[in-house]
Amino acid sequence: MPRARQRRRKIKACKLCEMKVEYVDYKDTKLLKDFLNEKGKILPRRLTGNCAKHQRMVKTAIKRARQMALLPYLKY
């Protein structure tokens, strides 16, 4: 019985750690748009490569920007 091939996942480096960002501001919409898909949904960590700390910061910043009408809730 042949061995099954295992896929090796590429570990992405956190973009925000590389930029040495300590706080993700909700007013920085250019940065936040990188973490949204074309429909306006927040992309998960496994796609963006964020660390857990920065993903939480991105999530709260996007939600705050949506409430302040800086980012849309949905894109049609």
Side-chain angles (χ1 to χ4, degrees), residues 8-75:
R8 296 214 175 207
R9 260 188 5 184
K10 287 185 181 179
I11 299 174
K12 297 179 184 178
C14 179
K15 179 180 174 182
L16 299 172
C17 285
E18 290 176 351
M19 292 172 22
K20 297 184 180 173
V21 173
E22 291 189 24
Y23 176 73
V24 180
D25 193 19
Y26 71 93
K27 293 174 272 188
D28 190 4
T29 56
K30 289 181 183 178
L31 176 70
L32 295 177
K33 284 181 182 179
D34 292 341
F35 302 106
L36 295 173
N37 68 3
E38 60 276 350
K39 292 187 177 183
K41 292 185 175 184
I42 301 172
L43 292 173
R45 276 180 61 195
R46 60 187 159 80
L47 293 181
T48 60
N50 286 344
C51 62
K53 174 183 163 185
H54 282 119
Q55 182 68 20
R56 285 192 301 270
M57 293 170 82
V58 165
K59 175 190 72 167
T60 55
I62 288 174
K63 289 182 178 184
R64 286 179 182 166
R66 284 174 175 168
Q67 281 200 320
M68 298 296 290
L70 299 175
L71 290 175
Y73 281 97
L74 295 173
K75 292 182 184 176

